[in-house]
Amino acid sequence: MLQKPQPNKRNCKLGTQTWVRLIIGTLRRRRRRLPFYVPSISNETMLWNSKGGSRIIVMLVAVCVCLVAIEYGVRVTEAEFFKPFNVTYDHRALIIDGHRRFLISAGIHYPRATPEMWPDLIAKSKEGGADVIESYVFWNGHEPARGQYNFEGRYDLVKFVKLAASNGLYFFLRIGPYACAEWNFGGFPVWLRDIPGIKFRTNNAPFKEEMKRFVSKVVNLMREEKLFSWQGGPIILLQIENEYGNIESSYGKGGKEYVKWAARMALSLDAGVPWVMCRQQDTPHDIIDTCNAYYCDGFKPNSQNKPTMWTENWAGWYTSWGGRLPRRPVEDLAFAVARFFQRGGSFQNYYMYFGGTNFGRTAGGPLQITSYDYDAPIDEYGLPNEPKWGHLKDLHAALKLCEPALVASDAPTYIKLGPKQEAHVYQENVHPKGLNLSLSESPGICSAFLANIDERKTATVTFHGQTYTIPPWSVSILPDCRNTAFNTAKVRAQTSVKLVDFDVPPVFNIFPAQKLMRHDSIHHISKSWMMTKEPINVWSKSSFTVQGIWEHLNVTKDQSDYLWYSTRIYVSDDDILFWKNNDTHPKLIIGSVRDILRIFVNGQLIGNVVGDWVKVIQTLQFLPGYNDLTLLSQTVGLQNYGAFLEKDGAGIRGTIKLTGFEKGDIDLSKSLWTYQVGLQGEILKFYSEENENAGWVELTPEAIPSTFTWYKTYFDVPDGTDPVALDLGSMGKGQAWVNGHHIGRYWTRVSPRTGCEQVCDYRGAYNSDKCLTNCGKPTQTLYHVPRSWLKTSNNLLVISEETGGNPLAISVKLHSARTVCAQVSESDYPPLQKLWNADFIVQGISANNMIPEVHLHCQDGYTISSITFASFGTPEGSCQNFSRGSCHAPSSISMVSKACLGKRRCSIKVSNTVFGTDPCQDVVKTLSVEARCTSPLSDDLFQEAVSSL
């Protein structure tokens, strides 16, 4: 098996035996996350006193002193994460330090999590089988004003890249700088629109100058921090532009020239690693073109000298307000990955592996939600999404078993096994000249992929003289061309059932600062709220009056979602009489608006319009004399995809007029309008601790609901590490802040009642309209609040509510996996980790290690406290609905309990020997288990609560 370059840790001196124990303790805690092999250490005294022990200690110090420094806050300067290595490529794969590599990449966008979350996300990605971390670079986050850069906090790109390197992972940096990514304005800063003469993403000198300046800034920063592979850093791959091929034709000749320029510009920066362009068939010869799609097994690059690479494998899909929630079955996702490598692929990146959260106003548009969970293998809160995470981990292990054959072969041998069944076989061949494969070489290295692309029927095929049964729409992986190590349709990873609630009763002594109210089993965040009203009209000295309707973004510069337009309309007595006599009312007609328009007459809300450039026809009622007509234009994420983004804009387009007056229509397009950017509470920072001049008054039930109102309260959260969410399902639409941190927009817009399937069938090609969920419910009600933004008590929550909601019903929830289930049969493949650790290809492994196993694990801080179901025999049903079948081993519960209770992880072999009997001879038996995970903290709090009642 090829090995990646190992981290290069500098030698450091160790002064005392205490430091030795400290290092060994660190290794024990971090062993599973180390990017290199560490032998088992069971007795530090023996190690210290044994012959040659001091040499081992010196080795341990040299290897892990930096890990101790990280854990205990000791500052250590480290120039290199790896021994410097070069990255090139041939037609087959990336060549890293002279070795072909077949790589699994995990997409994680650093601003969609907090720096405190990054280490765990990266560690979980590595544990799941990733070799590489991938991310876009977000221009508007890094340069919010031209020439003013931000590389701190959630935008500390250098820190994020270094964390990946410290875990022994490579990095794929997609500079773009256009990202799309369902990110506000596709990642472009809005100030870019104001550059004179600029046209985005075409052969336009002003745009090319700005683009080159930012891309150079990022490349130079990475070089200064020594983060490229040839410097001992993790960056092995860069991307310029992004999915430009989708819109290139819109720009004609200018588009083709722009692609050539972008490639030349990128290469001129001398980054020293390969560059890619995704979805770009006319990529120049020295840039690798790559695939973005649900399936890329049929993709071929535009040159026989380039490897086949998949930069975006869509693990799910994004969601818009009022939409259903997409889910991509893991069986299909695994099938797509296996088919890609089966048919010659070499690099695959999950988009997303962790989706995260669109904090603040970073969500793209139009109308994309705050959550960017994306049905990814790691959920929005940082917990594994099981069984997706575990099934893909098994897939990755099976693929790694095939890597010796994959790197040794220039192309697979194709064998047709049936009308919709086929095999691709990889065997060792003559090494390309100059390529150092450095295998523990043995003649006959062979791996095979057997695919059944029939969407309905299971197939039985013969391969190399043996018979194999392959479920529909699946791939079986045979690392040795004989034994099936994995099938994409057979999910043997555990299922974790996520709960969002308190794990303990909300009694007063647990949350003393704010006594939580309990009504109908709802845990409310607080009963003590303050409120203040948002003025409906112009209120600031920064307002201005001009003739005509100005485009929304030209005024706001995207510093706020909100832009107020206000004018005065004179209504004569003759107009009133005219309407009365004709039994009619005047109407406001606007050519088109986006995303939201709210219409006020004399301070009263009389209409709302939501849409993407939709026409407005609104009936009005005026009083005699002067009337204030106020329009509130709102953006809900700027357009992030498509050609000519600089022209897209927001707010009001076309004519705006009043109809139905006695003397004819009134053209308001040329009237005097007064403009006001933002809400008063935004500008005066009602959400900050320091602001006490907002006119707060106590909220009374009589004041609920209320439009355009600010609310605030203080709340506590339980101790522990469980992720925290706010349930804002009782509110309407607005924004929320916790301790001054903007957690995002909220909106209880409801999805259509139809279009969801009760049973999701993984078979057949996936699209974003397949396997939809959450019909007839609000698209999003739970909003992630990172633990690092919270204090133990007295956390300030501020809500800006637009349409009317009930803040008294807001609740805080803990997000955790309390129930875990697994189901494995005797006929399933053996545990892949044991195959991976053994010399499976050359020598095989013992029969005992070929026995299938059930594996269960709880999240960090939890242990298995009870087994709620276990049956070895013919159990029926699925997680949370298991039942015994006609065949059942009486010792099932006791044997599983013995193996698992009190542990975070456990495994049970699926065999008669373990359960002391064969409950039904000549029948393939299955072990189904359901267990409950609890944390010591929740148990302690529960006992404390009970004792106080």
Side-chain angles (χ1 to χ4, degrees):
M1 174 58 63
L2 295 181
Q3 299 297 322
K4 66 175 66 174
Q6 298 302 300
N8 178 23
K9 304 294 179 182
R10 295 182 178 274
N11 291 330
C12 302
K13 293 182 180 179
L14 190 70
T16 67
Q17 196 166 338
T18 301
W19 273 96
V20 176
R21 292 192 176 99
L22 187 61
I23 290 169
I24 292 173
T26 302
L27 284 173
R28 284 174 175 165
R29 285 187 295 277
R30 292 178 173 264
R31 185 178 176 194
R32 296 191 181 196
R33 297 181 180 177
L34 291 178
F36 40 81
Y37 175 73
V38 176
S40 178
I41 304 167
S42 59
N43 191 315
E44 57 263 41
T45 304
M46 178 192 72
L47 219 168
W48 181 262
N49 294 328
S50 65
K51 183 178 180 181
S54 60
R55 294 176 184 169
I56 297 175
I57 293 301
V58 170
M59 177 194 72
L60 290 175
V61 174
V63 169
C64 70
V65 67
C66 293
L67 291 174
V68 178
I70 292 170
E71 182 142 334
Y72 293 93
V74 181
R75 183 176 178 82
V76 177
T77 301
E78 182 176 30
E80 298 172 358
F81 292 95
F82 302 93
K83 293 178 181 179
F85 60 97
N86 291 323
V87 182
T88 58
Y89 57 88
D90 64 7
H91 71 287
R92 189 71 185 94
L94 290 179
I95 300 172
I96 296 179
D97 199 26
H99 308 292
R100 278 181 181 164
R101 289 301 311 277
F102 287 76
L103 300 171
I104 301 294
S105 174
I108 301 174
H109 295 160
Y110 50 99
R112 283 174 159 143
T114 61
E116 291 79 8
M117 294 173 66
W118 294 344
D120 189 60
L121 295 173
I122 291 170
K124 283 188 172 74
S125 300
K126 181 177 181 178
E127 185 182 355
D131 308 290
V132 182
I133 298 296
E134 169 272 338
S135 182
Y136 282 123
V137 176
F138 297 90
W139 189 357
N140 52 12
H142 289 298
E143 194 176 5
R146 190 173 188 274
Q148 298 178 15
Y149 295 103
N150 173 28
F151 286 91
E152 298 178 351
R154 290 189 294 115
Y155 293 95
D156 192 342
L157 175 59
V158 169
K159 179 177 181 178
F160 185 67
V161 175
K162 288 183 176 180
L163 282 170
S166 68
N167 276 264
L169 298 177
Y170 300 131
F171 206 95
F172 173 24
L173 191 63
R174 303 173 69 187
I175 301 177
Y178 168 71
C180 185
E182 291 70 61
W183 188 265
N184 195 48
F185 211 37
F188 285 137
V190 171
W191 56 257
L192 198 64
R193 303 169 78 245
D194 298 331
I195 302 294
I198 199 164
K199 295 180 180 179
F200 292 4
R201 304 176 76 193
T202 188
N203 192 27
N204 172 266
F207 178 76
K208 292 192 296 184
E209 180 181 346
E210 294 299 320
M211 174 174 167
K212 181 176 181 179
R213 183 178 57 80
F214 180 73
V215 173
S216 300
K217 172 75 175 179
V218 175
V219 170
N220 291 337
L221 178 61
M222 298 300 105
R223 185 186 292 111
E224 290 166 6
E225 296 288 339
K226 301 185 185 303
L227 293 176
F228 289 111
S229 64
W230 51 272
Q231 299 174 297
I235 298 176
I236 61 170
L237 200 62
L238 296 170
Q239 179 176 306
I240 194 69
E241 250 303 336
N242 183 52
E243 296 187 340
Y244 187 70
N246 296 2
I247 62 168
E248 181 179 340
S249 61
S250 301
Y251 295 96
K253 183 179 178 181
K256 293 185 178 298
E257 293 300 317
Y258 168 68
V259 170
K260 297 174 184 177
W261 170 84
R264 290 195 305 271
M265 182 272 289
L267 293 169
S268 73
L269 299 178
D270 294 324
V273 298
W275 288 82
V276 307
M277 285 182 173
C278 62
R279 283 194 163 184
Q280 193 66 48
Q281 292 183 343
D282 60 351
T283 297
H285 74 278
D286 38 13
I287 303 286
I288 305 170
D289 58 310
T290 66
C291 183
N292 290 1
Y294 287 117
Y295 307 93
C296 283
D297 52 286
F299 170 78
K300 296 298 179 186
N302 63 7
S303 167
Q304 294 182 353
N305 300 319
K306 300 176 183 180
T308 302
M309 302 178 66
W310 192 359
T311 40
E312 288 189 16
N313 177 5
W314 301 325
W317 201 242
Y318 63 87
T319 309
S320 298
W321 296 112
R324 311 167 187 89
L325 300 181
R327 293 288 181 262
R328 186 178 185 186
V330 68
E331 297 93 332
D332 176 71
L333 182 57
F335 171 77
V337 175
R339 286 287 284 168
F340 176 71
F341 285 102
Q342 174 179 359
R343 300 182 66 188
S346 63
F347 178 103
Q348 184 266 160
N349 174 64
Y350 290 103
Y351 189 101
M352 301 295 299
Y353 198 77
F354 163 79
T357 308
N358 294 313
F359 296 115
R361 299 171 52 252
T362 58
L367 306 176
Q368 287 163 13
I369 70 173
T370 296
S371 171
Y372 201 65
D373 182 83
Y374 220 86
D375 195 30
I378 300 176
D379 72 16
E380 178 183 1
Y381 300 88
L383 300 181
N385 179 12
E386 299 280 20
K388 184 169 279 190
W389 182 86
H391 191 55
L392 294 177
K393 178 183 178 180
D394 289 345
L395 168 64
H396 303 154
L399 290 170
K400 291 300 179 183
L401 289 170
C402 299
E403 191 170 7
L406 293 173
V407 299
S409 176
D410 279 345
T413 299
Y414 173 80
I415 302 173
K416 189 170 180 62
L417 302 175
K420 293 186 178 181
Q421 295 77 36
E422 58 189 20
H424 289 74
V425 182
Y426 290 87
Q427 290 180 287
E428 184 180 15
N429 58 14
V430 178
H431 302 167
K433 185 177 180 181
L435 184 64
N436 173 23
L437 293 179
S438 69
L439 296 166
S440 55
E441 298 186 14
S442 171
I445 291 177
C446 179
S447 293
F449 297 78
L450 311 184
N452 177 15
I453 59 176
D454 192 300
E455 298 181 14
R456 292 289 174 262
K457 298 178 182 178
T458 297
T460 300
V461 301
T462 300
F463 173 74
H464 283 192
Q466 291 186 216
T467 299
Y468 299 86
T469 299
I470 314 173
W473 201 254
S474 76
V475 177
S476 289
I477 299 176
L478 286 58
D480 59 353
C481 283
R482 295 186 303 276
N483 296 291
T484 301
F486 182 85
N487 178 271
T488 59
K490 295 183 177 181
V491 179
R492 298 301 173 251
Q494 77 173 30
T495 295
S496 297
V497 180
K498 304 283 178 57
L499 296 177
V500 279
D501 208 337
F502 283 121
D503 201 30
V504 294
V507 292
F508 296 163
N509 66 316
I510 299 178
F511 308 102
Q514 294 291 331
K515 298 180 179 181
L516 300 181
M517 301 174 6
R518 180 166 185 162
H519 300 296
D520 301 324
S521 299
I522 298 175
H523 309 294
H524 300 296
I525 195 168
S526 174
K527 65 178 181 180
S528 176
W529 284 83
M530 305 292 283
M531 64 169 287
T532 188
K533 294 291 292 182
E534 175 70 30
I536 307 299
N537 215 318
V538 176
W539 53 268
S540 169
K541 293 181 180 179
S542 64
S543 64
F544 61 93
T545 302
V546 294
Q547 187 176 22
I549 295 294
W550 284 16
E551 195 272 332
H552 182 113
L553 289 181
N554 285 340
V555 181
T556 67
K557 308 302 180 186
D558 198 37
Q559 297 303 303
S560 170
D561 282 356
Y562 307 95
L563 177 62
W564 300 89
Y565 303 77
S566 187
T567 191
R568 282 201 150 184
I569 307 296
Y570 180 76
V571 175
S572 68
D573 292 338
D574 291 340
D575 290 321
I576 298 293
L577 182 61
F578 176 77
W579 296 330
K580 183 178 180 180
N581 291 338
N582 291 277
D583 193 23
T584 187
H585 295 282
K587 290 182 173 60
L588 173 70
I589 299 177
I590 303 175
S592 63
V593 299
R594 197 185 78 183
D595 301 325
I596 298 176
L597 183 73
R598 304 198 190 281
I599 303 165
F600 301 83
V601 174
N602 298 324
Q604 298 298 310
L605 179 64
I606 55 98
N608 298 284
V609 179
V610 179
D612 186 5
W613 299 124
V614 296
K615 187 174 183 178
V616 176
I617 302 177
Q618 176 66 51
T619 299
L620 306 177
Q621 289 189 346
F622 289 126
L623 300 174
Y626 285 101
N627 293 259
D628 289 327
L629 174 63
T630 301
L631 308 177
L632 176 59
S633 168
Q634 294 178 235
T635 54
V636 187
L638 302 186
Q639 186 77 21
N640 56 261
Y641 178 77
F644 311 113
L645 281 180
E646 73 279 6
K647 298 179 180 179
D648 193 67
I652 297 172
R653 273 185 181 173
T655 60
I656 175 170
K657 62 182 179 179
L658 290 173
T659 65
F661 280 72
E662 182 191 27
K663 295 182 179 180
D665 297 347
I666 300 175
D667 185 359
L668 297 179
S669 303
K670 299 179 181 179
S671 297
L672 287 176
W673 290 86
T674 300
Y675 291 79
Q676 171 71 59
V677 175
L679 302 179
Q680 182 185 60
E682 284 183 302
I683 307 302
L684 300 181
K685 298 183 179 180
F686 286 3
Y687 50 80
S688 69
E689 286 276 9
E690 293 78 20
N691 191 292
E692 293 298 331
N693 299 315
W696 297 105
V697 297
E698 185 176 349
L699 174 65
T700 60
E702 295 77 26
I704 300 171
S706 180
T707 61
F708 287 91
T709 304
W710 290 79
Y711 301 102
K712 78 169 183 177
T713 193
Y714 291 88
F715 69 99
D716 300 345
V717 294
D719 293 333
T721 60
D722 286 347
V724 176
L726 286 177
D727 187 339
L728 301 180
S730 64
M731 303 303 290
K733 182 190 177 298
Q735 301 180 50
W737 291 259
V738 173
N739 294 328
H741 297 280
H742 194 175
I743 67 171
R745 303 180 183 98
Y746 68 84
W747 198 357
T748 49
R749 202 175 188 202
V750 175
S751 68
R753 294 184 177 276
T754 60
C756 295
E757 304 170 21
Q758 287 190 346
V759 178
C760 174
D761 189 346
Y762 76 88
R763 299 172 299 178
Y766 178 78
N767 62 69
S768 59
D769 292 325
K770 182 179 179 179
C771 297
L772 295 171
T773 64
N774 203 55
C775 285
K777 300 177 182 178
T779 304
Q780 183 175 356
T781 58
L782 297 175
Y783 297 82
H784 181 207
V785 185
R787 277 275 181 178
S788 59
W789 292 358
L790 291 167
K791 302 176 289 185
T792 303
S793 61
N794 293 318
N795 294 282
L796 173 64
L797 170 62
V798 176
I799 299 286
S800 169
E801 171 60 41
E802 301 167 17
T803 63
N806 180 14
L808 295 179
I810 293 175
S811 57
V812 63
K813 301 290 179 68
L814 299 183
H815 183 81
S816 61
R818 315 287 176 80
T819 299
V820 296
C821 305
Q823 189 173 47
V824 178
S825 77
E826 291 179 304
S827 61
D828 286 330
Y829 47 76
L832 282 159
Q833 197 60 37
K834 292 188 177 179
L835 300 184
W836 173 251
N837 290 334
D839 198 346
F840 178 73
I841 303 298
V842 178
Q843 299 175 358
I845 61 174
S846 69
N848 187 53
N849 284 339
M850 294 294 288
I851 299 174
E853 295 179 1
V854 162
H855 286 259
L856 296 172
H857 65 270
C858 300
Q859 69 188 65
D860 289 343
Y862 281 67
T863 56
I864 297 173
S865 59
S866 63
I867 305 299
T868 53
F869 180 88
S871 178
F872 175 66
T874 56
E876 299 173 349
S878 58
C879 189
Q880 295 188 303
N881 288 294
F882 285 133
S883 62
R884 291 183 185 179
S886 58
C887 170
H888 169 74
S891 62
S892 297
I893 285 279
S894 62
M895 296 310 298
V896 173
S897 297
K898 181 179 179 181
C900 296
L901 288 182
K903 299 178 181 178
R904 181 174 173 244
R905 295 176 179 270
C906 66
S907 62
I908 311 101
K909 291 187 182 296
V910 184
S911 74
N912 296 327
T913 304
V914 170
F915 295 94
T917 183
D918 184 347
C920 41
Q921 294 183 0
D922 302 323
V923 173
V924 176
K925 288 164 283 296
T926 295
L927 174 60
S928 296
V929 179
E930 180 178 309
R932 177 167 173 79
C933 298
T934 58
S935 69
L937 174 65
S938 64
D939 289 342
D940 292 344
L941 286 174
F942 182 80
Q943 293 302 324
E944 182 181 349
V946 171
S947 64
S948 67
L949 294 177

